[in-house]
Amino acid sequence: MKRIHTLVLYIGMLCLAFFTACQDHLYYSHYQDMPQRQWDSNDSLYFSIPPMEHEEDVAITLSVRTTASFRYKDIVARAELLDGDSVISSIPMNIMLYNNRGEEASQGILVTENYSRPQAFHMRANHHYTMRVTHLMRLNPLEEVQSVGIIVEEIVEER
């Protein structure tokens, strides 16, 4: 019995070490729900990023949650980093939707979540930045979009 307790203790410690080692450098994450599950290209989404204590390079990823009946394979959006009213950087970002559009695959799946590739931005210390996101698709509005979000992660160099 003592061996089982010791084994459980070691397994617990290994799991804790594993989860601690796998921590990413998430700084900020926020999603905005879309009214009536529609995203209109005239409706810019604004994400207020909390000020950082130190000057940092960050990676910003766009995320879109769509219903299983969303008809397209990707969404093209524009992400603009604003410092006050000034646009510091404007980048088109492509969000590939990886879910299979077959009927068998979509049964039972209510919402799928997909991400753009992370884009690097530089943020100065103690500045209030805002990320403005709009979609650049011809079809308007985009139907079956549940929510849109951003993920901001600190870029940490491996040594």
Side-chain angles (χ1 to χ4, degrees):
M1 191 62 128
K2 187 174 183 180
R3 284 186 175 175
I4 293 174
H5 288 288
T6 305
L7 182 61
V8 170
L9 180 65
Y10 283 135
I11 290 172
M13 289 173 48
L14 283 173
C15 289
L16 181 62
F18 176 75
F19 287 123
T20 303
C22 292
Q23 290 288 327
D24 57 13
H25 301 282
L26 179 65
Y27 178 72
Y28 173 77
S29 175
H30 184 72
Y31 284 82
Q32 293 186 24
D33 292 334
M34 304 278 73
Q36 292 85 37
R37 294 191 317 221
Q38 294 181 340
W39 186 12
D40 192 291
S41 64
N42 295 319
D43 294 336
S44 295
L45 304 175
Y46 291 88
F47 299 89
S48 180
I49 301 170
M52 301 184 116
E53 292 180 16
H54 305 288
E55 199 164 303
E56 293 283 345
D57 289 323
V58 298
I60 296 181
T61 304
L62 295 183
S63 176
V64 174
R65 293 175 179 156
T66 61
T67 64
S69 57
F70 188 76
R71 300 181 286 174
Y72 300 96
K73 295 180 183 175
D74 66 347
I75 296 174
V76 179
R78 175 179 293 123
E80 297 174 301
L81 187 63
L82 308 172
D83 186 359
D85 291 334
S86 301
V87 176
I88 295 172
S89 182
S90 178
I91 296 178
M93 296 177 79
N94 191 27
I95 304 165
M96 295 295 297
L97 304 175
Y98 293 104
N99 55 330
N100 188 338
R101 299 281 179 235
E103 274 188 44
E104 301 87 25
S106 65
Q107 288 181 351
I109 299 174
L110 299 178
V111 176
T112 60
E113 188 166 350
N114 294 280
Y115 305 92
S116 69
R117 289 186 178 193
Q119 294 293 323
F121 290 93
H122 182 77
M123 294 186 170
R124 296 188 335 209
N126 302 314
H127 274 257
H128 283 281
Y129 290 102
T130 301
M131 180 66 66
R132 178 170 54 201
V133 179
T134 54
H135 81 74
L136 303 175
M137 304 289 285
R138 269 188 286 172
L139 180 68
N140 200 37
L142 289 179
E143 304 274 336
E144 304 303 323
V145 175
Q146 290 283 119
S147 61
V148 178
I150 68 166
I151 300 163
V152 180
E153 297 174 290
E154 295 176 33
I155 298 175
V156 177
E157 293 182 26
E158 297 294 323
R159 296 178 191 213

